[in-house]
Amino acid sequence: MGTLELKQLQYFIEITRTGSFTKAAENLFITQPALSRNVKSLEEEIGAPLFIRSRKKLILTDIGMVLKRHAETIEKQLLSLNSEISNLLTLKRGNIRIGLPTIINSFFFSDLLASFHNEYPEVTFQLVEDGSKRIEEKIVNEELDFGVVVVSPENNEQFDSYQFVSEKLKLVVPPNHKFASKEQVALQELQDETFIMFNQDFELRSLILNACQEAGFEPKIISETSQLDFIEEMVAFDIGITLLPENTCEELTSDLHTITIENPVIEWNLALIWKKDNYLSQISQEFIRFAKVKLSEARDFE
């Protein structure tokens, strides 16, 4: 069997729909001889007749009935495709996949998504919680469209980004800790402490390790996890200390003390990222524009 053309199938469907070559030709705005030639060409491609010619009515052969069933399915899929493309081009519908780090206070981002949903109610969101490094991998592999990650020099090359948070890390200790009454400590003073850390999927871990190494020591890590709640509990039970961003410290529910770290100050910067030089749908482009406005407003408000 040769290659079937879409126009041939459309002509064939119209004939079966009207039950008449004459009526089908009128609806298709072509001459009846041209339509007949088209059907003959289609039968030659398939290698079998599609109609039993009768004076009273057109009757489909068995092969004609099979072709009709498949042709109607193809037609429905084309209509669905056209409708979906039209919706995306007119910003009516779409799905946006976003990776969010476990560590961040998600309230400001929830506000962004709620505002966007009000503007575009048929756009759906898929949210994935993970560490910055895993989020970056998923964007590179096109499993996610956007991600919120900790800014690092490495991710500038593969991603376009918009930085919207810049804050400092603070020391978190239980109330009975020797540093609990201090307002600030130098990072080097923590060299004999045991650390509760996020695991290797989190850029925060790399920030802390690098800062400690520059201060002249390797931190003693007693436990690693991907869950902020677990870190908070471990510190509350005096198993170790941790370092967390300022906003995250404000969300802690336990009776913990947070202390400013000096010498050096450890910067923690967040950015919305997406894959560089990648195709962006209309709705994705609109989300970037919308996010920049909203996140800028949130930053100015703080």
Side-chain angles (χ1 to χ4, degrees), residues 30-194:
I30 61 172
T31 65
Q32 188 173 329
L35 182 59
S36 296
R37 284 196 301 272
N38 191 280
V39 170
K40 187 178 180 183
S41 173
L42 181 57
E43 289 176 326
E44 287 172 356
E45 289 283 354
I46 290 171
L50 300 172
F51 297 100
I52 300 169
R53 268 71 172 177
S54 165
R55 289 184 180 179
K56 293 182 180 178
K57 62 177 181 177
L58 282 175
I59 300 169
L60 285 168
T61 63
D62 289 345
I63 289 176
M65 291 174 71
V66 169
L67 181 63
K68 179 175 182 284
R69 189 172 74 250
H70 285 278
E72 286 175 343
T73 300
I74 292 167
E75 184 182 43
K76 284 178 185 174
Q77 288 175 332
L78 278 173
L79 289 171
S80 175
L81 173 64
N82 289 333
S83 174
E84 197 166 329
I85 288 173
S86 174
N87 283 332
L88 287 172
L89 289 173
T90 54
L91 295 177
K92 287 181 181 176
R93 300 183 67 178
N95 179 56
I96 298 176
R97 303 164 300 172
I98 305 175
L100 294 174
T102 311
I103 190 170
I104 69 168
N105 172 1
S106 60
F107 173 76
F108 69 90
F109 218 76
S110 301
D111 185 49
L112 164 64
L113 299 187
S115 300
F116 193 81
H117 178 70
N118 286 337
E119 292 274 338
Y120 307 104
E122 292 190 68
V123 175
T124 57
F125 288 95
Q126 177 188 343
L127 301 179
V128 176
E129 276 198 329
D130 216 327
S132 288
K133 292 179 181 177
R134 288 281 298 133
I135 289 170
E136 288 177 7
E137 285 173 15
K138 287 177 180 177
I139 292 175
V140 168
N141 296 330
E142 299 184 10
E143 296 169 37
L144 291 173
D145 303 303
F146 299 98
V148 174
V149 301
V150 178
V151 178
S152 67
E154 293 79 25
N155 60 25
N156 290 337
E157 296 177 4
Q158 291 179 293
F159 307 104
D160 286 320
S161 64
Y162 174 71
Q163 187 175 318
F164 61 94
V165 165
S166 181
E167 53 188 70
K168 300 175 180 65
L169 297 189
K170 300 192 82 170
L171 171 64
V172 184
V173 299
N176 60 342
H177 194 276
K178 63 182 179 182
F179 292 145
S181 59
K182 285 196 168 193
E183 288 188 9
Q184 62 183 50
V185 298
L187 187 60
Q188 195 171 16
E189 293 180 69
L190 305 180
Q191 61 182 342
D192 295 325
E193 299 292 323
T194 51

Side-chain angles (χ1 to χ4, degrees), residues 249-261:
C249 290
E250 292 173 9
E251 298 300 310
L252 300 176
T253 55
S254 305
D255 182 23
L256 298 173
H257 288 240
T258 58
I259 302 142
T260 300
I261 296 175

